[in-house]
Amino acid sequence: MNKIKSLEDLRKMKQNLEHGMNIREKSNEPESLVQIRVAMATCGIASGARTVMNTLVEKIEKEKIPAVVTQGGCMGYCYAEPTIEVRVPGKDPVVFGYVDSAKAIEIVEKYIVNGELLDGIIPTNYKTINDKN
Amino acid sequence: MAQYKMHLLVCGGTGCRASESEQIVENLKSEIKNLGLENDAQVVTTGCFGFCEKGPIVKIIPDNTFYTQVKKEDCAEIIREHVLKGRKVSRLLYEDPETQKHIEDSKHMGFYQKQMRIALRNCGFIDPENVDEYIARDGYAALGKILSEMTPEEAIDILKKSGLRGRGGGGFPTGLKWEIASKNKADQKYVVCNADEGDPGAFMDRSILEGDPHSIIEAMAICGYCIGASKGIVYIRAEYPLAIKRLKVAARQAREYGLLGEQILGSDFSFDIELRYGAGAFVCGEETALIHSMEGLRGEPTVKPPFPAEKGYLGKPTNVNNVETFANVPAIYLKGTEWYSSIGTEKSKGTKVFALAGKINNVGLIEVPMGITLREVIYEIGGGIKDGKKFKAVQTGGPSGGCLTEKHLDTPIDFDNLIAAGSMMGSGGMIVMDEDDCMVSVAKFYLEFTVEESCGKCAPCRIGNKRLHEMLEKITSGKGVPEDIEYLKNLSRVIKDTSLCGLGQTSPNPVLSTIENFYDEYLAHVTERICPAGSCKALKLYTIIADKCTGCTACVRACPVDAITGEKRQPHVIDPDKCIRCGACYEKCKFTAIHVQ
């Protein structure tokens, strides 16, 4: 191991290392972040949800977007897999269907960063037990 | 470097390791490998999450899913269901004791909602054996900042302004302690970390050392710079093998990075630490006794002054701080005094770690802002009293502290309020008692501990505590007389006034505070010869209700001392002089004819 010779070195080192810890730091305050949930049921995985998830994780990490990507179970939109749910703080969650890597990047750039609405939104007509209050 | 989408944090503290958490880590890793998820999920062994009641704990990041009481057989299911398919394993989720509902993530658990983690900031968050994770969370940045931007005086000034007080029990202002040590001139000074945690039930220092050892090393180096010491010693009890191991690993890593050793971070400051093992004597938590023990002498206290800051280890100025105190130091320098002094009450700043134990639903390690009430701690964080019983008292401060009762439930907890209420902060043990606990027995328990741990140097402590214990033994065995209570009080005062060190000066506190708060209970023991809580065995009276007794002779055969006599099919009688109160007859009787008083 190389010695750390100055405060400057230490700070640089921290910047290189914090990358790996980001996901834990973010989980400390999930409420203030954009939460992206990728449906990872069997049908989702079969239609490429894992690739979409990888793309999303890399994208938000690269652009330092305050978002966290989690996995969810089947949302029931098997016809439209892969599906992702995006929850921007203060807004209602939005579900996108037929998401591939290109679409995922578009969602991040346009919907999450700029707040523009996109095609491919699935109107949600259900309530979850978490929503009842 | 792989970008993991999930981190699986597994508690590697002593408590969870005892329930095979190491095996859980192995199983999680091998299942991840089986499914080819090596680039997606990372398994990390962390320090204590504090929720020891329900260990072993596995926490899944980023969704904060909090799995409790995980067994090594559950690992495959966690990986296959949660990591692969995003479905939580609901049977392993924490169940709210009140609503019986599963709580999905730690952010919604009452146990964590009122907590504020400063000293425990990295416990259950980073891998304690990986210095890189500590550095990624601004580790050693406080040391770096101080070495390159501040004089020792400026740095001490910051600590003084923060209002940090010693967390080992006494609550002495830490900044002031450092200042005194820094002003004493000598060719060599020492920084000592007191990790001789001895209060029954307290384990915060162990958890910090196990979960975040680098924070202690960093703080000791900061202290070394401030007071002008180049040597640090951690006095740790040998019963903490895991903490010792983690501390050694951390010190080695710090040396490899040049964070300990010569000319740290390019400055002129050099500092290194070594470990000394204590044999686990309670009295060695007292500064002077600790120093004698380190010098190879008997662990006995000496009169202060001279304080260790003047003449300490090997006669040189020495600054002794407790583990939890040190753990707060880097955070104060990083976030500033204003931030720190905004937390807590007027004279007690910051947070305090408590080891919550006893008759409470959520046993564990908690860190709360000073000024929180006992009610919040017991009912919101602790989840209330076990089995729906009635709250009776809470013992704080260990063998030096006292009992707080229902009337203190809404008192804000801080150093001064606890003393005013007849107890003390101590190192932060908090033992909750319910209606079934006899307060005389509680006092006896603590005296038993003190008698055992008294070093024997001064007579008041050596003999006085023994007499107190004998008197309490007499009362709980039903031989007490009303005058005994006065005698207990008088003797307690004498011991407090005349003992040499903190151990003896505080050891009668459990007696005095239980007499003060539960006088009626003492009185019942010595006048009516009954134990209201029904816990003192010798005060139980077993009788046979003649109307219910069928004379089946089951009890006669169960009684080990032949105390029960009677004709077949006629009501039997128990001879109270022969009866040893074992309860065997009570359990055997099918007709509920045995009455216990």
Side-chain angles (χ1 to χ4, degrees), chain B residues 216-233:
Chain B
I216 303 303
I217 295 177
E218 181 180 3
M220 288 178 73
I222 293 172
C223 178
Y225 176 74
C226 289
I227 70 166
S230 62
K231 284 191 181 151
I233 305 168

Side-chain angles (χ1 to χ4, degrees), chain A residues 1 4 24-25 27 54 71, chain B residues 5 64 83 125 137 256:
Chain A
M1 258 189 266
I4 308 170
R24 271 184 249 171
E25 297 288 351
S27 75
N54 288 345
Q71 307 189 353
Chain B
K5 287 164 218 63
N64 289 316
V83 178
F125 197 85
R137 294 210 86 198
E256 280 169 8

Side-chain angles (χ1 to χ4, degrees), chain B residues 374 392-396 398 401-405 407-408 418 421-424 431 433 439 442-443 446 509-514 516-518:
Chain B
L374 218 44
K392 185 167 186 179
V394 55
Q395 213 279 350
T396 66
C403 286
L404 304 169
T405 60
K407 66 174 189 266
H408 301 114
L418 284 184
S423 185
M424 67 183 284
I431 299 171
M433 285 163 248
M439 301 317 282
V442 167
Y446 282 104
N509 284 352
V511 181
L512 288 173
S513 96
T514 46
E516 163 85 25
N517 290 310
F518 298 95

Side-chain angles (χ1 to χ4, degrees), chain A residues 1-7 10-11 13-14 16-25 27-31 40-42 45 50 53-54 57-58 61 68-74 132, chain B residues 1 3-7 9 37 40 42 44 61-64 82-87 107 125-126 132-133 135-141 144-145 148-149 255-259 265-266:
Chain A
M1 258 189 266
N2 288 330
K3 297 225 172 202
I4 308 170
K5 299 224 170 55
S6 66
L7 180 57
L10 183 74
R11 283 183 179 147
M13 199 172 155
K14 188 218 161 196
N16 293 331
L17 289 169
E18 67 185 356
H19 176 71
M21 294 288 283
N22 247 342
I23 180 169
R24 271 184 249 171
E25 297 288 351
S27 75
N28 256 344
E29 41 207 76
E31 311 293 320
M40 286 289 240
T42 307
I45 297 174
R50 200 163 286 283
M53 182 155 178
N54 288 345
V57 169
E58 277 158 28
E61 192 56 41
V68 55
V69 184
T70 60
Q71 307 189 353
C74 176
K132 69 179 177 220
Chain B
M1 185 177 156
Q3 183 63 46
Y4 297 110
K5 287 164 218 63
M6 268 192 188
H7 292 199
L9 311 183
L37 296 168
D40 294 301
Q42 180 194 26
V44 186
I61 299 291
D63 50 26
N64 289 316
H82 192 144
V83 178
L84 190 66
K85 295 187 181 166
R87 285 198 291 242
K107 299 282 160 200
F125 197 85
I126 64 166
D132 288 350
E133 292 202 350
I135 290 174
R137 294 210 86 198
D138 270 326
Y140 292 103
K145 191 167 124 186
S148 51
E149 293 166 11
R255 272 179 216 122
E256 280 169 8
Y257 273 152
L259 298 164
L265 294 171

Side-chain angles (χ1 to χ4, degrees), chain B residues 577-590:
Chain B
D577 294 329
K578 280 190 183 168
C579 176
I580 55 165
R581 282 95 183 161
C582 67
C585 53
Y586 182 81
E587 277 162 29
K588 272 276 147 46
C589 183
K590 287 182 190 141

Side-chain angles (χ1 to χ4, degrees), chain A residues 91-125:
Chain A
K91 287 192 196 170
D92 285 338
V94 174
V95 178
F96 293 92
Y98 303 109
V99 182
D100 56 12
S101 289
K103 182 77 184 176
I105 290 185
E106 197 187 348
I107 292 169
V108 173
E109 285 174 350
K110 295 203 171 146
Y111 178 67
I112 296 178
V113 178
N114 294 338
E116 299 170 30
L117 282 180
L118 290 176
D119 289 343
I121 294 178
I122 302 176
T124 51
N125 49 11

Side-chain angles (χ1 to χ4, degrees), chain A residues 48-77:
Chain A
R50 200 163 286 283
T51 325
V52 171
M53 182 155 178
N54 288 345
T55 311
L56 284 167
V57 169
E58 277 158 28
K59 178 77 181 169
I60 62 165
E61 192 56 41
K62 204 168 97 202
E63 317 257 317
K64 300 210 183 311
I65 292 161
V68 55
V69 184
T70 60
Q71 307 189 353
C74 176
M75 281 197 255
Y77 306 109

